[in-house]
Amino acid sequence: MAGKHPHSSPSSRERPIYTSPIVIIILSLITFISIIFFFSSPSSSPPAPSSISTFSIRNPNPNFEYSFVSSLENFLTNKLPKHPKDDTVNSADAVSVRKLDDSIWWRESVRISGDSYYPAASMPIRVYVYEMPSKFTYDLLWLFRNTYKETSNLTSNGSPVHRLIEQHSIDYWLWADLIAPESERVLKNVIRVHKQDEADIFYIPFFTTISFFLMEKQQCKALYREALKWVTDQPAWKRSGGRDHILPVHHPWSFKSVRKFMKTAIWLLPDMDSTGNWYKPGQVYLEKDLILPYVSNVDFCNAYCLRENESKRSTLLFFRGRLKRNAGGKIRSKLVVELSGAEGVVIEEGSAGEAGKAAAQNGMRKSIFCLSPAGDTPSSARLFDAIVSGCIPVIVSDELELPFEGIIDYKKMAVFVSSSDALSPGWLLTYLKDFSPSEIREKQKFLAKYSTHFIYSNPAQPLGPEDLTWRMIAGKLVNIKLQIRRSQRMVQGSRSICTCECRHSNSSIPIPIPGP
């Protein structure tokens, strides 16, 4: 047979299959893919125990920064961007405002004609980042970097000032990603533009939290007034009344003296306290503003960490933090009285220093449920610490608004309890003990799935909080454009716009529906 005689010259039809170049190439590709699959398989060796306390997102990358302090140090010393040429101006008259409005209208008309889905699915979001004077941006970052101390310089309630700034550093994470060279960015659903008439949204890069905590009171107020004038002098602000501008005011104490002059902008907030203690009626509401998560104070517990800690979760309910708070947080002290000394419950006084971080992280990773009561405002950093620790949050905060709730279903990973129920003698512990093992595993599964939505990084990653921020902004764009055009043609004072001041407050207690 021809196949058994190496010196014969069989035709291509008779050639043995193992000598075909095409087949050899296919077999080589299959072998290569198999090798890759083997080494990337979840069944391969787990990471070393030393990696448990480090951040480990789906595709760990040493070039990603998850620590605000480390990222800022690298940014200031190695990655200061070159300022691109843009069309930011110092002041605008009526002619320049009209010219900008006409240019934006023309571009929008072209996009509507060329894209059958615009503006309902306007992706990527086009963001114009103002080139503000350095006293509003870089100088404040350097001020933080040069004064950073882990445990000194405390606030009146005992929290380390610089750590408090870290918890509210969303302004840094968003801005650092936006201004990075496009070749270094990972997110594709948002791009930076350098002409105002190309923008969907305008970003104001003013570090309101750093200035509030690290500057003298009068000096800070003066800087706020300067920032207000600088922004409101821009033609884009005058055109829209600020409705398409993003203003990060993530700490509820920051920017208070001039907020009322910028209440039309999209505020990036930690919550929407409706008691009037932190935000005045009509300043904040969900249709306009956006809730962003605190930056976590504990390390991210990755999938391997969660598996390792599953059998160690022997505490039923855990809480560590300030036990006495003001305003809406008074429920904490009442819960302490109700729960202290109960079997399976650990409640500890503590703050956000390094020792506090270690104790909180250790306690959360050993607990099934983590108590998340209101702080001075309805929200609390403990909620996000619990999520990234794999500890099921028990949320006792009747006025709470949550980040990205249009995307995330919190009921799948958290427990919501009204304040009245939580304070009923014995009710809360009985309720938690009634959760079956399968129900607990189900919530833990969703905690593991959703936890990466709360981890800020540089560069920002898909499905991280920066990514979800822009997805939520995209959902607001049509209404923003409506409000801009409507405000331009309305007779001043002819009609009031309903905001939160004429709505029912958010409450976990159902509002009864009137009968016929």
Side-chain angles (χ1 to χ4, degrees):
M1 295 177 62
K4 293 185 179 181
H5 297 278
H7 298 291
S8 62
S9 300
S11 66
S12 60
R13 183 177 300 175
E14 299 172 329
R15 186 175 298 157
I17 190 168
Y18 57 78
T19 63
S20 171
I22 296 176
V23 173
I24 290 174
I25 292 173
I26 293 174
L27 290 173
S28 300
L29 286 173
I30 292 173
T31 303
F32 179 72
I33 292 171
S34 300
I35 292 171
I36 292 176
F37 178 81
F38 174 81
F39 284 104
S40 62
S41 172
S43 61
S44 58
S45 300
S50 61
S51 68
I52 292 176
S53 63
T54 61
F55 290 95
S56 181
I57 310 300
R58 294 168 187 170
N59 297 308
N61 189 324
N63 295 321
F64 283 60
E65 290 281 2
Y66 306 101
S67 161
F68 172 65
V69 175
S70 298
S71 177
L72 180 59
E73 180 71 21
N74 187 34
F75 176 81
L76 291 175
T77 56
N78 300 318
K79 290 189 174 182
L80 280 179
K82 296 179 180 179
H83 299 300
K85 184 178 181 181
D86 62 20
D87 55 359
T88 297
V89 298
N90 291 326
S91 185
D93 56 21
V95 174
S96 60
V97 173
R98 178 60 182 271
K99 183 178 179 180
L100 175 62
D101 187 60
D102 288 343
S103 182
I104 290 175
W105 172 84
W106 181 82
R107 288 184 182 275
E108 288 181 346
S109 299
V110 172
R111 292 172 73 180
I112 289 172
S113 301
D115 182 356
S116 57
Y117 295 103
Y118 177 81
S122 182
M123 297 295 281
I125 297 289
R126 304 177 188 209
V127 181
Y128 181 91
V129 182
Y130 281 121
E131 285 289 342
M132 298 183 74
S134 61
K135 61 184 174 182
F136 303 118
T137 55
Y138 297 100
D139 290 357
L140 293 173
L141 293 178
W142 278 110
L143 177 62
F144 178 94
R145 186 257 188 189
N146 293 335
T147 59
Y148 178 75
K149 294 179 181 178
E150 294 182 1
T151 56
S152 63
N153 194 10
L154 304 180
T155 64
S156 58
N157 63 16
S159 298
V161 165
H162 289 78
R163 180 55 209 152
L164 199 59
I165 293 171
E166 290 181 67
Q167 288 183 345
H168 296 279
S169 60
I170 58 96
D171 43 14
Y172 166 78
W173 295 105
L174 288 170
W175 179 68
D177 181 66
L178 284 172
I179 66 173
E182 199 61 34
S183 60
E184 297 178 10
R185 298 183 67 251
V186 178
L187 293 188
K188 302 303 179 186
N189 65 343
V190 57
I191 58 174
R192 181 186 183 185
V193 296
H194 300 288
K195 292 184 177 180
Q196 295 190 13
D197 62 359
E198 295 178 350
D200 297 312
I201 292 292
F202 296 79
Y203 186 84
I204 303 169
F206 179 41
F207 295 99
T208 58
T209 302
I210 294 178
S211 53
F212 177 81
F213 281 107
L214 298 185
M215 297 179 70
E216 294 294 332
K217 185 176 181 179
Q218 294 306 317
Q219 184 185 16
C220 178
K221 286 187 174 182
L223 191 67
Y224 283 174
R225 291 192 295 270
E226 290 183 59
L228 169 68
K229 184 179 187 310
W230 192 94
V231 172
T232 55
D233 275 348
Q234 300 303 312
W237 179 279
K238 291 183 176 181
R239 168 191 170 267
S240 69
R243 293 173 177 82
D244 52 2
H245 284 57
I246 293 178
L247 177 66
V249 282
H250 200 258
H251 193 282
W253 296 348
S254 65
F255 217 55
K256 288 185 72 172
S257 59
V258 296
R259 282 179 186 169
K260 63 182 179 181
F261 303 108
M262 300 183 77
K263 63 182 181 180
T264 53
I266 305 163
W267 289 7
L268 304 183
L269 304 163
D271 55 45
M272 291 186 179
D273 170 40
S274 62
T275 66
N277 292 311
W278 309 109
Y279 306 110
K280 300 300 181 184
Q283 287 185 349
V284 296
Y285 45 99
L286 285 175
E287 290 82 357
K288 174 178 76 74
D289 303 311
L290 201 62
I291 307 296
L292 266 63
Y294 289 67
V295 177
S296 176
N297 186 49
V298 299
D299 294 336
F300 175 59
C301 190
N302 59 29
Y304 175 68
C305 167
L306 291 173
R307 289 195 299 270
E308 285 291 299
N309 284 279
E310 185 175 359
S311 61
K312 301 176 183 177
R313 295 188 184 274
S314 56
T315 301
L316 175 66
L317 181 64
F318 175 82
F319 175 81
R320 179 181 174 84
R322 303 290 296 181
L323 300 182
K324 294 182 179 180
R325 305 298 282 180
N326 300 316
K330 291 180 180 179
I331 191 173
R332 285 195 187 184
S333 57
K334 296 179 181 179
L335 285 170
V336 170
V337 174
E338 168 61 25
L339 297 171
S340 289
E343 183 180 358
V345 176
V346 175
I347 295 182
E348 301 173 345
E349 176 81 26
S351 59
E354 281 301 310
K357 169 183 173 179
Q361 179 168 297
N362 183 56
M364 287 182 173
R365 293 188 182 186
K366 290 183 177 179
S367 305
I368 299 171
F369 296 100
C370 284
L371 188 64
S372 180
D376 287 343
T377 61
S379 67
S380 168
R382 303 303 182 277
L383 168 60
F384 308 104
D385 290 348
I387 290 173
V388 302
S389 298
C391 186
I392 300 169
V394 179
I395 299 173
V396 186
S397 182
D398 298 338
E399 301 288 335
L400 180 65
E401 297 292 352
L402 292 162
F404 317 132
E405 201 164 4
I407 298 172
I408 299 172
D409 184 356
Y410 284 85
K411 298 191 304 297
K412 294 188 179 299
M413 66 173 177
V415 176
F416 292 86
V417 177
S418 71
S419 298
S420 58
D421 284 340
L423 294 175
S424 297
W427 187 93
L428 181 58
L429 293 184
T430 301
Y431 178 66
L432 296 180
K433 289 175 181 178
D434 282 344
F435 277 84
S436 67
S438 61
E439 289 174 321
I440 290 172
R441 286 194 297 270
E442 183 72 4
K443 288 191 179 293
Q444 289 172 338
K445 180 184 75 175
F446 279 99
L447 277 174
K449 177 180 180 180
Y450 288 152
S451 58
T452 53
H453 297 329
F454 302 93
I455 302 298
Y456 293 89
S457 66
N458 188 19
Q461 299 182 69
L463 298 181
E466 302 94 338
D467 181 13
L468 268 57
T469 295
W470 298 116
R471 296 186 189 213
M472 294 291 289
I473 292 291
K476 296 179 182 289
L477 273 184
V478 173
N479 189 54
I480 290 170
K481 294 178 185 297
L482 179 154
Q483 296 297 337
I484 291 172
R485 291 305 178 192
R486 183 173 179 272
S487 67
Q488 291 174 338
R489 58 91 178 167
M490 290 288 293
V491 176
Q492 187 174 2
S494 64
R495 196 180 306 176
S496 62
I497 299 176
C498 181
T499 59
C500 63
E501 55 200 309
C502 53
R503 293 190 176 98
H504 291 292
S505 65
N506 174 40
S507 174
S508 60
I509 303 173
I511 298 173
I513 300 175

